[in-house]
Coordinates of all heavy atoms in Angstrom, one line a residue:
M1 N 45.3 72.4 -27.5 CA 45.7 72.8 -28.8 C 46.4 74.1 -28.5 O 47.6 74.3 -29.2 CB 44.7 73.0 -29.8 CG 45.1 73.1 -31.2 SD 46.0 71.6 -31.9 CE 44.7 70.9 -32.8
A2 N 46.0 74.9 -27.7 CA 46.7 76.3 -27.4 C 48.0 76.1 -26.8 O 48.8 77.0 -26.9 CB 45.7 77.1 -26.5
R3 N 48.2 75.0 -26.1 CA 49.4 74.7 -25.3 C 50.7 74.9 -26.3 O 51.8 75.3 -25.9 CB 49.3 73.3 -24.8 CG 50.4 72.9 -23.9 CD 50.0 71.7 -23.0 NE 49.4 70.8 -23.9 CZ 50.0 69.7 -24.3 NH1 51.3 69.6 -24.2 NH2 49.4 68.8 -25.0
T4 N 50.6 74.4 -27.5 CA 51.7 74.5 -28.5 C 51.5 75.5 -29.7 O 52.0 75.4 -30.6 CB 52.0 73.0 -29.1 OG1 50.8 72.7 -29.8 CG2 52.3 72.1 -28.0
D5 N 50.6 76.5 -29.3 CA 50.3 77.5 -30.3 C 49.7 76.8 -31.6 O 49.9 77.4 -32.7 CB 51.5 78.3 -30.7 CG 52.0 79.1 -29.5 OD1 51.1 79.5 -28.7 OD2 53.2 79.3 -29.4
G6 N 49.0 75.7 -31.5 CA 48.5 75.1 -32.6 C 49.5 74.4 -33.6 O 49.2 74.1 -34.7
L7 N 50.7 74.2 -33.1 CA 51.8 73.6 -34.0 C 51.9 72.1 -33.6 O 51.7 71.7 -32.5 CB 53.1 74.3 -33.8 CG 53.0 75.8 -34.1 CD1 54.4 76.4 -33.9 CD2 52.7 76.0 -35.7
C8 N 52.4 71.4 -34.7 CA 52.6 69.9 -34.5 C 53.9 69.7 -33.6 O 55.0 70.2 -33.9 CB 52.9 69.2 -35.8 SG 53.4 67.6 -35.8
E9 N 53.6 69.0 -32.5 CA 54.7 68.8 -31.5 C 56.0 68.0 -32.1 O 57.1 68.2 -31.8 CB 54.3 68.3 -30.3 CG 53.2 69.1 -29.5 CD 52.8 68.5 -28.2 OE1 53.5 67.8 -27.6 OE2 51.6 68.7 -27.9
R10 N 55.6 67.1 -32.9 CA 56.5 66.1 -33.4 C 57.5 66.8 -34.5 O 58.7 66.7 -34.6 CB 55.8 65.0 -34.2 CG 56.4 63.6 -33.8 CD 55.4 62.6 -34.3 NE 56.1 61.5 -34.9 CZ 56.3 60.4 -34.3 NH1 55.7 60.0 -33.2 NH2 56.9 59.5 -35.1
C11 N 56.8 67.7 -35.3 CA 57.5 68.5 -36.4 C 58.4 69.5 -35.6 O 59.6 69.7 -36.0 CB 56.6 69.1 -37.3 SG 55.8 67.9 -38.4
D12 N 57.8 70.0 -34.7 CA 58.5 71.0 -33.8 C 59.9 70.5 -33.3 O 60.9 71.1 -33.3 CB 57.7 71.6 -32.8 CG 58.2 72.8 -32.1 OD1 58.7 73.7 -32.8 OD2 58.2 73.0 -30.8
A13 N 59.7 69.2 -32.7 CA 60.9 68.6 -32.3 C 62.0 68.3 -33.4 O 63.2 68.3 -33.0 CB 60.6 67.2 -31.7
R14 N 61.5 68.3 -34.6 CA 62.6 68.2 -35.7 C 62.9 69.5 -36.3 O 63.6 69.6 -37.3 CB 61.9 67.4 -36.8 CG 61.6 65.9 -36.4 CD 60.7 65.3 -37.6 NE 60.4 63.9 -37.3 CZ 59.4 63.3 -37.8 NH1 58.6 63.9 -38.7 NH2 59.1 62.1 -37.6
G15 N 62.5 70.6 -35.6 CA 62.7 71.9 -36.0 C 61.9 72.4 -37.2 O 62.2 73.5 -37.8
L16 N 60.8 71.7 -37.5 CA 59.8 72.3 -38.6 C 58.7 72.9 -37.9 O 58.3 72.6 -36.8 CB 59.4 71.0 -39.3 CG 60.4 70.1 -39.9 CD1 59.8 68.9 -40.5 CD2 61.1 70.9 -41.0
T17 N 58.1 73.9 -38.6 CA 56.9 74.6 -38.2 C 55.7 74.2 -39.0 O 55.6 74.5 -40.2 CB 57.1 76.0 -38.2 OG1 58.2 76.4 -37.4 CG2 55.9 76.8 -37.7
V18 N 55.0 73.2 -38.4 CA 53.7 72.7 -39.2 C 52.5 72.8 -38.3 O 52.6 72.5 -37.1 CB 54.0 71.2 -39.5 CG1 52.8 70.6 -40.2 CG2 55.3 71.0 -40.4
F19 N 51.3 73.3 -38.8 CA 50.2 73.4 -38.1 C 49.7 72.1 -37.6 O 49.7 71.2 -38.5 CB 49.1 74.2 -38.8 CG 49.4 75.7 -38.6 CD1 49.8 76.4 -39.7 CD2 49.3 76.4 -37.4 CE1 50.0 77.8 -39.7 CE2 49.6 77.7 -37.2 CZ 49.9 78.5 -38.4
A20 N 49.3 71.9 -36.5 CA 48.6 70.6 -36.0 C 47.2 70.5 -36.4 O 46.5 71.5 -36.5 CB 48.7 70.4 -34.5
T21 N 46.8 69.4 -36.8 CA 45.4 69.2 -37.3 C 44.6 68.3 -36.3 O 43.5 68.2 -36.3 CB 45.3 68.6 -38.7 OG1 46.2 67.5 -38.7 CG2 45.8 69.6 -39.8
V22 N 45.3 67.6 -35.5 CA 44.6 66.6 -34.7 C 45.3 66.6 -33.2 O 46.5 66.9 -33.1 CB 44.8 65.1 -35.1 CG1 43.9 64.9 -36.4 CG2 46.2 64.7 -35.5
V23 N 44.5 66.3 -32.3 CA 44.9 66.0 -30.9 C 45.1 64.6 -30.7 O 44.1 63.7 -30.7 CB 44.0 66.6 -29.9 CG1 44.5 66.4 -28.4 CG2 43.9 68.3 -30.1
D24 N 46.4 64.1 -30.6 CA 46.5 62.6 -30.5 C 46.7 62.3 -29.1 O 47.1 63.0 -28.2 CB 47.9 62.3 -31.2 CG 48.2 60.8 -31.1 OD1 47.3 60.1 -31.6 OD2 49.2 60.5 -30.7
H25 N 46.3 61.1 -28.7 CA 46.4 60.5 -27.4 C 47.7 59.7 -27.4 O 47.9 58.9 -28.1 CB 45.3 59.7 -26.9 CG 43.9 60.4 -26.7 ND1 43.0 60.7 -27.7 CD2 43.5 61.2 -25.7 CE1 42.1 61.4 -27.3 NE2 42.4 61.7 -26.0
I26 N 48.7 60.1 -26.4 CA 50.0 59.4 -26.4 C 49.6 57.9 -26.0 O 50.2 57.1 -26.6 CB 50.8 60.1 -25.2 CG1 51.1 61.5 -25.8 CG2 51.9 59.3 -25.0 CD1 51.8 62.4 -24.8
K27 N 48.7 57.7 -24.9 CA 48.3 56.3 -24.7 C 46.8 56.4 -25.2 O 46.0 57.1 -24.7 CB 48.3 56.0 -23.3 CG 47.8 54.6 -23.0 CD 48.1 54.2 -21.5 CE 47.6 52.8 -21.3 NZ 47.8 52.3 -19.9
P28 N 46.6 55.6 -26.3 CA 45.2 55.7 -26.9 C 44.1 55.3 -25.9 O 44.3 54.6 -24.9 CB 45.3 54.5 -28.0 CG 46.7 54.3 -28.2 CD 47.4 54.6 -27.0
L29 N 43.0 56.1 -26.0 CA 41.8 55.8 -25.2 C 41.4 54.4 -25.2 O 41.0 53.8 -24.2 CB 40.7 56.7 -25.7 CG 40.9 58.3 -25.5 CD1 39.6 58.9 -26.0 CD2 41.1 58.7 -24.1
A30 N 41.6 53.8 -26.3 CA 41.1 52.4 -26.5 C 42.0 51.5 -25.6 O 41.6 50.4 -25.3 CB 41.3 52.0 -27.9
L31 N 43.3 51.9 -25.3 CA 44.0 51.1 -24.4 C 44.1 51.6 -23.1 O 45.1 51.3 -22.3 CB 45.5 51.1 -25.1 CG 45.5 50.5 -26.4 CD1 46.9 50.6 -27.1 CD2 45.1 49.0 -26.4
G32 N 43.1 52.4 -22.6 CA 43.1 52.9 -21.2 C 43.7 54.2 -20.9 O 43.8 54.6 -19.8
G33 N 44.0 54.9 -22.0 CA 44.6 56.2 -21.8 C 43.5 57.3 -21.3 O 42.4 57.1 -21.5
T34 N 44.0 58.4 -20.8 CA 43.1 59.4 -20.4 C 42.9 60.6 -21.4 O 43.7 60.6 -22.3 CB 43.5 60.0 -19.0 OG1 44.7 60.7 -19.2 CG2 43.8 58.9 -18.0
D35 N 42.0 61.4 -21.1 CA 41.8 62.6 -22.1 C 42.4 63.8 -21.5 O 42.1 64.9 -21.9 CB 40.2 62.8 -22.1 CG 39.9 63.4 -23.5 OD1 40.9 63.3 -24.4 OD2 38.8 63.7 -23.8
E36 N 43.3 63.6 -20.6 CA 44.0 64.8 -20.0 C 45.1 65.3 -20.8 O 45.7 64.6 -21.6 CB 44.6 64.4 -18.6 CG 43.5 64.2 -17.6 CD 43.9 63.3 -16.3 OE1 45.2 63.2 -16.1 OE2 43.1 62.9 -15.6
D37 N 45.6 66.6 -20.6 CA 46.6 67.2 -21.3 C 48.0 66.4 -21.3 O 48.6 66.4 -22.2 CB 46.9 68.5 -20.7 CG 46.1 69.6 -21.4 OD1 45.3 69.3 -22.2 OD2 46.3 70.8 -21.0
S38 N 48.2 65.8 -20.1 CA 49.5 65.0 -20.0 C 49.5 63.8 -20.9 O 50.5 63.3 -21.3 CB 49.6 64.6 -18.6 OG 48.5 63.7 -18.1
N39 N 48.3 63.4 -21.4 CA 48.2 62.4 -22.3 C 47.9 62.7 -23.7 O 47.6 61.8 -24.6 CB 47.2 61.3 -21.8 CG 47.2 59.9 -22.6 OD1 48.3 59.4 -22.8 ND2 46.1 59.4 -23.1
T40 N 47.9 63.9 -24.1 CA 47.7 64.4 -25.3 C 48.8 65.1 -26.0 O 49.7 65.7 -25.3 CB 46.3 65.3 -25.4 OG1 46.5 66.4 -24.7 CG2 45.2 64.5 -25.0
R41 N 48.8 65.2 -27.3 CA 49.8 66.0 -27.9 C 49.2 66.5 -29.3 O 48.3 65.7 -29.9 CB 51.1 65.2 -28.2 CG 50.8 64.0 -29.0 CD 52.1 63.1 -29.1 NE 51.7 61.7 -29.6 CZ 52.5 60.7 -29.7 NH1 53.7 60.9 -29.4 NH2 52.1 59.5 -30.1
N42 N 49.6 67.6 -29.8 CA 49.1 68.1 -31.1 C 49.9 67.6 -32.1 O 51.2 67.8 -32.1 CB 49.1 69.6 -31.0 CG 48.2 70.1 -29.8 OD1 47.2 69.5 -29.4 ND2 48.7 71.2 -29.2
L43 N 49.4 67.1 -33.2 CA 50.1 66.6 -34.3 C 49.5 67.0 -35.7 O 48.3 67.2 -35.8 CB 50.1 65.1 -34.3 CG 50.8 64.3 -33.1 CD1 50.6 62.8 -33.2 CD2 52.3 64.7 -33.0
C44 N 50.3 67.1 -36.7 CA 49.7 67.2 -38.0 C 49.3 65.8 -38.6 O 49.7 64.8 -38.0 CB 50.8 67.9 -39.0 SG 52.3 66.8 -39.2
D45 N 48.7 65.7 -39.7 CA 48.2 64.5 -40.3 C 49.1 63.5 -40.5 O 49.1 62.3 -39.9 CB 47.4 64.7 -41.5 CG 45.9 65.0 -41.2 OD1 45.5 64.6 -40.2 OD2 45.2 65.5 -42.1
P46 N 50.3 63.8 -41.1 CA 51.3 62.7 -41.3 C 51.9 62.2 -40.1 O 52.1 61.1 -40.0 CB 52.4 63.5 -42.1 CG 51.7 64.6 -42.7 CD 50.6 65.1 -41.8
C47 N 52.2 63.1 -39.1 CA 52.7 62.7 -37.8 C 51.8 61.8 -37.0 O 52.1 60.8 -36.4 CB 53.1 63.8 -37.0 SG 54.7 64.6 -37.5
H48 N 50.5 62.1 -37.2 CA 49.5 61.4 -36.5 C 49.3 59.9 -37.0 O 49.4 59.0 -36.3 CB 48.1 62.1 -36.5 CG 47.0 61.3 -35.9 ND1 45.9 60.9 -36.5 CD2 46.9 61.0 -34.6 CE1 45.1 60.3 -35.6 NE2 45.7 60.3 -34.4
A49 N 49.4 59.9 -38.3 CA 49.4 58.5 -39.0 C 50.7 57.7 -38.5 O 50.5 56.5 -38.2 CB 49.4 58.7 -40.5
E50 N 51.8 58.4 -38.5 CA 53.0 57.8 -38.1 C 52.9 57.4 -36.7 O 53.3 56.1 -36.3 CB 54.1 58.8 -38.2 CG 55.4 58.4 -38.8 CD 56.3 59.5 -38.9 OE1 57.1 59.8 -38.0 OE2 56.2 60.2 -40.0
A51 N 52.5 58.2 -35.7 CA 52.4 57.9 -34.3 C 51.4 56.7 -34.1 O 51.7 55.8 -33.3 CB 52.0 59.1 -33.5
T52 N 50.3 56.7 -34.8 CA 49.4 55.7 -34.5 C 49.9 54.3 -35.1 O 49.8 53.3 -34.3 CB 48.0 56.0 -35.4 OG1 47.6 57.4 -35.0 CG2 46.9 55.0 -35.2
A53 N 50.6 54.4 -36.2 CA 51.2 53.1 -36.6 C 52.2 52.5 -35.6 O 52.3 51.4 -35.3 CB 51.8 53.4 -38.0
E54 N 52.9 53.4 -35.0 CA 53.9 53.1 -34.0 C 53.3 52.5 -32.8 O 53.7 51.4 -32.3 CB 54.7 54.3 -33.6 CG 56.0 54.7 -34.4 CD 56.6 56.0 -34.1 OE1 56.3 56.4 -33.0 OE2 57.2 56.6 -34.9
Q55 N 52.2 53.2 -32.3 CA 51.6 52.8 -31.1 C 50.9 51.4 -31.3 O 51.2 50.4 -30.5 CB 50.4 53.7 -30.9 CG 50.9 55.0 -30.2 CD 49.7 56.0 -30.2 OE1 48.7 55.9 -30.8 NE2 50.0 57.1 -29.4
F56 N 50.3 51.2 -32.4 CA 49.6 49.9 -32.6 C 50.5 48.9 -33.2 O 50.4 47.7 -32.9 CB 48.3 50.1 -33.5 CG 47.3 50.8 -32.6 CD1 47.1 52.1 -32.8 CD2 46.4 50.1 -31.7 CE1 46.1 52.8 -31.9 CE2 45.5 50.7 -31.1 CZ 45.3 52.0 -31.1
G57 N 51.6 49.3 -33.8 CA 52.6 48.4 -34.3 C 53.4 47.8 -33.1 O 53.6 46.5 -33.0
M58 N 53.8 48.7 -32.2 CA 54.4 48.1 -30.9 C 53.5 47.2 -30.2 O 53.9 46.1 -29.6 CB 54.8 49.2 -30.0 CG 56.1 49.9 -30.5 SD 56.8 51.0 -29.2 CE 55.7 52.4 -29.2
R59 N 52.2 47.4 -30.0 CA 51.2 46.7 -29.3 C 51.2 45.3 -30.0 O 51.1 44.3 -29.3 CB 49.9 47.3 -29.3 CG 49.8 48.7 -28.7 CD 50.0 48.6 -27.2 NE 50.3 49.9 -26.8 CZ 50.6 50.4 -25.6 NH1 50.5 49.6 -24.6 NH2 50.8 51.8 -25.3
T60 N 51.2 45.2 -31.3 CA 51.2 44.0 -32.1 C 52.3 43.1 -31.6 O 52.2 42.0 -31.5 CB 51.1 44.2 -33.5 OG1 49.9 45.1 -33.8 CG2 50.9 43.0 -34.3
A61 N 53.4 43.8 -31.6 CA 54.7 43.0 -31.3 C 54.6 42.5 -29.9 O 55.3 41.5 -29.6 CB 56.0 44.0 -31.5
R62 N 53.9 43.2 -29.1 CA 53.8 42.7 -27.7 C 52.6 41.8 -27.4 O 52.2 41.6 -26.4 CB 53.8 43.8 -26.7 CG 55.2 44.5 -26.6 CD 55.2 45.9 -25.9 NE 54.4 45.9 -24.8 CZ 54.1 47.0 -24.2 NH1 54.6 48.2 -24.7 NH2 53.3 47.1 -23.2
G63 N 51.9 41.3 -28.5 CA 50.9 40.3 -28.2 C 49.4 41.0 -28.3 O 48.6 40.3 -27.8
I64 N 49.3 42.1 -28.8 CA 47.9 42.7 -28.8 C 47.6 43.0 -30.3 O 48.4 43.7 -31.1 CB 47.9 44.0 -28.0 CG1 48.1 43.6 -26.6 CG2 46.5 44.6 -28.2 CD1 48.1 44.7 -25.5
G65 N 46.5 42.5 -30.8 CA 46.2 42.6 -32.2 C 45.8 44.0 -32.6 O 45.6 44.9 -31.8
R66 N 45.5 44.2 -33.8 CA 45.1 45.5 -34.4 C 43.8 46.0 -33.8 O 43.5 47.1 -33.8 CB 44.9 45.3 -35.9 CG 46.0 45.7 -36.8 CD 45.8 45.6 -38.2 NE 47.0 45.5 -39.0 CZ 47.6 46.7 -39.2 NH1 47.1 47.8 -38.9 NH2 48.8 46.7 -39.8
D67 N 43.0 45.0 -33.4 CA 41.6 45.5 -32.8 C 41.8 45.8 -31.3 O 40.9 46.1 -30.6 CB 40.6 44.3 -32.9 CG 41.2 43.0 -32.4 OD1 42.2 42.9 -31.9 OD2 40.4 42.0 -32.5
G68 N 43.1 45.7 -30.9 CA 43.3 46.1 -29.5 C 43.2 44.9 -28.4 O 43.2 45.1 -27.3
R69 N 42.9 43.8 -29.0 CA 42.7 42.6 -28.1 C 43.9 41.7 -28.0 O 44.6 41.7 -29.1 CB 41.5 41.8 -28.5 CG 40.1 42.6 -28.5 CD 39.0 41.7 -28.8 NE 38.8 40.5 -27.9 CZ 38.0 40.6 -26.9 NH1 37.4 41.7 -26.6 NH2 37.8 39.6 -26.2
P70 N 44.2 41.1 -27.1 CA 45.4 40.2 -27.0 C 45.3 39.1 -28.0 O 44.2 38.6 -28.1 CB 45.5 39.8 -25.5 CG 44.1 40.0 -25.0 CD 43.5 41.1 -25.7
T71 N 46.4 38.7 -28.5 CA 46.5 37.5 -29.4 C 46.8 36.3 -28.9 O 46.5 35.2 -29.4 CB 47.4 37.9 -30.5 OG1 48.8 38.1 -30.0 CG2 47.1 39.1 -31.4
S72 N 47.3 36.2 -27.6 CA 47.7 35.0 -26.9 C 46.5 34.2 -26.5 O 45.5 34.8 -25.8 CB 48.6 35.4 -25.7 OG 48.7 34.2 -24.9
P73 N 46.5 33.0 -26.8 CA 45.4 32.1 -26.4 C 45.4 31.9 -24.9 O 44.4 31.6 -24.4 CB 45.6 30.8 -27.1 CG 47.1 30.7 -27.6 CD 47.6 32.3 -27.6
D74 N 46.6 32.2 -24.3 CA 46.5 32.1 -22.7 C 46.0 33.3 -22.1 O 45.7 33.2 -20.8 CB 48.0 31.9 -22.3 CG 48.6 30.7 -22.8 OD1 47.8 29.7 -23.0 OD2 49.7 30.7 -22.9
H75 N 45.7 34.4 -22.8 CA 45.2 35.6 -22.1 C 43.7 35.3 -21.6 O 43.0 34.6 -22.4 CB 45.2 36.7 -23.1 CG 44.9 38.1 -22.5 ND1 43.7 38.4 -22.1 CD2 45.8 39.0 -22.0 CE1 43.7 39.6 -21.4 NE2 45.0 39.9 -21.3
P76 N 43.4 35.7 -20.4 CA 42.0 35.5 -19.9 C 40.9 35.9 -20.9 O 40.0 35.1 -20.9 CB 41.9 36.5 -18.7 CG 43.4 36.7 -18.3 CD 44.2 36.5 -19.6
W77 N 41.1 37.0 -21.7 CA 40.1 37.3 -22.7 C 39.9 36.2 -23.7 O 38.8 36.2 -24.4 CB 40.5 38.6 -23.4 CG 40.4 39.8 -22.6 CD1 40.2 39.8 -21.2 CD2 40.6 41.2 -23.0 NE1 40.2 41.2 -20.8 CE2 40.5 42.0 -21.8 CE3 40.8 41.7 -24.2 CZ2 40.6 43.4 -21.9 CZ3 41.0 43.1 -24.3 CH2 40.9 43.9 -23.1
N78 N 40.9 35.5 -23.9 CA 40.7 34.4 -25.0 C 40.5 33.0 -24.6 O 40.4 32.0 -25.3 CB 42.1 34.5 -25.9 CG 42.1 35.8 -26.7 OD1 41.2 36.3 -27.0 ND2 43.4 36.2 -26.9
R79 N 40.3 32.9 -23.3 CA 39.9 31.5 -22.8 C 38.5 31.1 -23.2 O 37.6 31.9 -23.1 CB 40.1 31.5 -21.2 CG 41.6 31.5 -20.9 CD 41.8 31.3 -19.3 NE 43.2 31.6 -19.0 CZ 43.6 32.1 -17.9 NH1 42.7 32.5 -17.0 NH2 44.9 32.4 -17.7
P80 N 38.4 30.0 -23.5 CA 37.1 29.5 -24.0 C 36.0 29.6 -22.9 O 34.8 29.7 -23.3 CB 37.4 28.1 -24.4 CG 38.8 27.7 -24.1 CD 39.5 28.9 -23.6
D81 N 36.4 29.4 -21.6 CA 35.3 29.5 -20.6 C 34.8 30.8 -20.3 O 34.0 31.0 -19.3 CB 35.8 28.7 -19.4 CG 37.2 29.4 -18.8 OD1 37.6 30.4 -19.4 OD2 37.5 29.0 -17.7
R82 N 35.4 31.9 -20.9 CA 34.9 33.2 -20.6 C 33.5 33.4 -21.1 O 33.1 33.1 -22.2 CB 36.0 34.2 -21.4 CG 35.6 35.6 -21.0 CD 36.6 36.5 -21.6 NE 36.4 37.9 -21.3 CZ 35.8 38.7 -22.2 NH1 35.4 38.3 -23.4 NH2 35.5 40.0 -21.9
T83 N 32.7 34.0 -20.2 CA 31.3 34.1 -20.6 C 30.9 35.5 -20.9 O 31.6 36.4 -20.3 CB 30.3 33.6 -19.4 OG1 30.7 34.1 -18.2 CG2 30.5 32.1 -19.4
Ligands
ZN101 ZN1 54.0 66.8 -37.8

């Protein structure tokens, strides 16, 4: 958080000065992201909601459902013989 003086990085990129309220994972932990600085960014609430929608929206388009699991029946996770 100190890295950006506690400001929202997304708003900053738009020339706005807004205090960040959350540390967002660029690649979500649920999808294998790390907790390192290189994978985090400071965001305000509205930006965090936006970014999360983008992240999971894109995943949905690429065949991964809202729960983070693949939607394709051909994916190994969805095969009936998986024990
Ligand atoms: Zn923001």
Side-chain angles (χ1 to χ4, degrees):
M1 196 62 101
R3 187 163 44 93
T4 58
D5 295 326
L7 299 178
C8 172
E9 294 181 36
R10 228 168 134 105
C11 287
D12 194 45
R14 294 170 179 159
L16 303 171
T17 301
V18 177
F19 281 112
T21 52
V22 288
V23 177
D24 181 55
H25 291 93
I26 294 166
K27 181 174 184 180
L29 296 179
L31 298 174
T34 67
D35 212 11
E36 288 160 17
D37 269 4
S38 59
N39 189 45
T40 61
R41 59 190 163 181
N42 305 320
L43 297 176
C44 65
D45 267 343
C47 284
H48 182 237
E50 226 175 86
T52 304
E54 274 171 22
Q55 284 166 349
F56 287 95
M58 279 196 286
R59 305 285 165 181
T60 301
R62 284 165 45 191
I64 297 178
R66 264 179 196 284
D67 57 359
R69 296 181 66 88
T71 54
S72 166
D74 295 331
H75 192 282
W77 289 6
N78 291 330
R79 284 187 192 144
D81 61 351
R82 183 171 180 261
T83 51

